[in-house]
């Protein structure tokens, strides 16, 4: 009924990460962001404060200050670029497929085919379905999902697929805009 070939390029992986951080992984993302930025700021402020007493401190205290001043900026940088780090992790996991995946949707379920790997799913296994600009994102749980490029349909169209998916899931596909 529907066939889609999606290439996992940088844009697609960033879109997948953005959908994750805005929907099913929003709480986890925000907690991680607050911890990284908070710990980074604390380490930097603490390190600068302790630097004012550098001459009065022993060797082990100076080592702690040095480590604190190294950890602080690293945590802040990771917090500021957290989405990019998450996209790199997604890329590492999805690049096992040589950068592309072919999806075949039928009445009973769908298949995701990558070189040497064939995964078969039923529609009741889909936890959430989202539409983002240029993509459909299907989540099986809060950690696992697939992304489909709307321009990658070789059988059927994106509009037909949206209607088909809404019938199979029993609810409309939710639209979200990417940041």
């Amino acid at each position: 009924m529907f066939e889609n070939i999606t290439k996992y390029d940088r844009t697609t992986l960033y879109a997948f990460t953005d959908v994750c951080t805005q929907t099913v992984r929003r709480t986890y993302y925000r907690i991680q962001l607050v911890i990284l930025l908070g710990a980074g700021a604390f380490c930097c402020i603490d390190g600068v404060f302790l630097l004012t007493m550098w001459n009065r401190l022993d060797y082990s205290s100076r080592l702690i200050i040095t480590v604190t001043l190294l950890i602080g900026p690293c945590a802040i940088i990771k917090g500021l670029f957290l989405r990019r780090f998450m996209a790199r992790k997604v890329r590492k996991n999805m690049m096992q497929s040589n950068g592309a995946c072919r999806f075949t949707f039928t009445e009973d379920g769908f298949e995701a085919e990558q070189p040497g790997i064939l995964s078969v799913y039923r529609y009741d296994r889909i936890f959430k379905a989202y539409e983002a600009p240029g993509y459909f994102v299907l989540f099986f749980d809060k950690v696992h999902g697939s992304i489909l490029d709307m321009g990658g349909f070789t059988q059927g169209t994106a509009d037909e697929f949206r209607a088909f998916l809404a019938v199979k899931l029993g609810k409309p596909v939710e639209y979200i805009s990417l940041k």
Side-chain angles (χ1 to χ4, degrees):
M1 293 189 70
F2 295 97
E3 185 174 282
N4 180 290
I5 298 174
T6 299
K7 292 186 170 123
Y8 294 140
D9 58 5
R10 173 181 263 168
T11 306
T12 303
L13 298 176
Y14 279 135
F16 183 77
T17 303
D18 285 346
V19 172
C20 287
T21 58
Q22 291 178 41
T23 58
V24 297
R25 307 263 307 169
R26 179 175 41 199
T27 303
Y28 172 78
Y29 170 73
R30 288 183 177 173
I31 289 170
Q32 195 173 8
L33 185 65
V34 167
I35 289 172
L36 285 169
L37 293 177
F42 175 78
C43 286
C44 287
I45 291 168
D46 185 47
V48 168
F49 174 72
L50 291 174
L51 271 178
T52 61
M53 299 184 281
W54 183 267
N55 293 334
R56 291 181 261 163
L57 298 174
D58 61 351
Y59 176 75
S60 62
S61 297
R62 288 180 180 179
L63 182 64
I64 290 172
I65 292 171
T66 305
V67 169
T68 302
L69 286 172
L70 291 173
I71 290 174
C74 291
I76 289 173
I77 288 170
K78 183 161 184 182
L80 292 175
F81 297 102
L82 185 57
R83 281 191 177 157
R84 288 189 181 189
F85 284 111
M86 292 173 81
R88 284 182 65 118
K89 188 175 181 181
V90 168
R91 181 178 183 210
K92 183 179 176 184
N93 292 338
M94 289 186 166
M95 281 304 156
Q96 297 169 351
S97 65
N98 292 329
C101 185
R102 185 173 69 81
F103 296 93
T104 306
F105 293 85
T106 63
E107 284 295 325
D108 300 326
F110 68 99
E111 298 176 350
E113 185 180 346
Q114 302 168 356
I117 304 169
L118 178 64
S119 303
V120 180
Y121 302 99
R122 294 185 327 258
Y123 292 109
D124 63 351
R125 177 110 194 284
I126 297 175
F127 170 66
K128 295 271 186 178
Y130 295 99
E131 178 184 348
Y135 301 98
F136 289 107
V137 181
L138 309 175
F139 287 104
F140 307 115
D141 54 37
K142 290 188 175 189
V143 179
H144 302 95
S146 293
I147 186 164
L148 288 82
D149 185 356
M150 285 186 184
F153 282 96
T154 57
Q155 289 181 339
T157 66
D159 293 331
E160 294 170 344
F161 180 71
R162 182 185 308 107
F164 172 79
L165 201 55
V167 169
K168 289 297 179 185
L169 299 178
K171 57 187 173 189
V173 177
E174 186 178 336
Y175 181 84
I176 61 167
S177 61
L178 299 179
K179 292 181 180 180

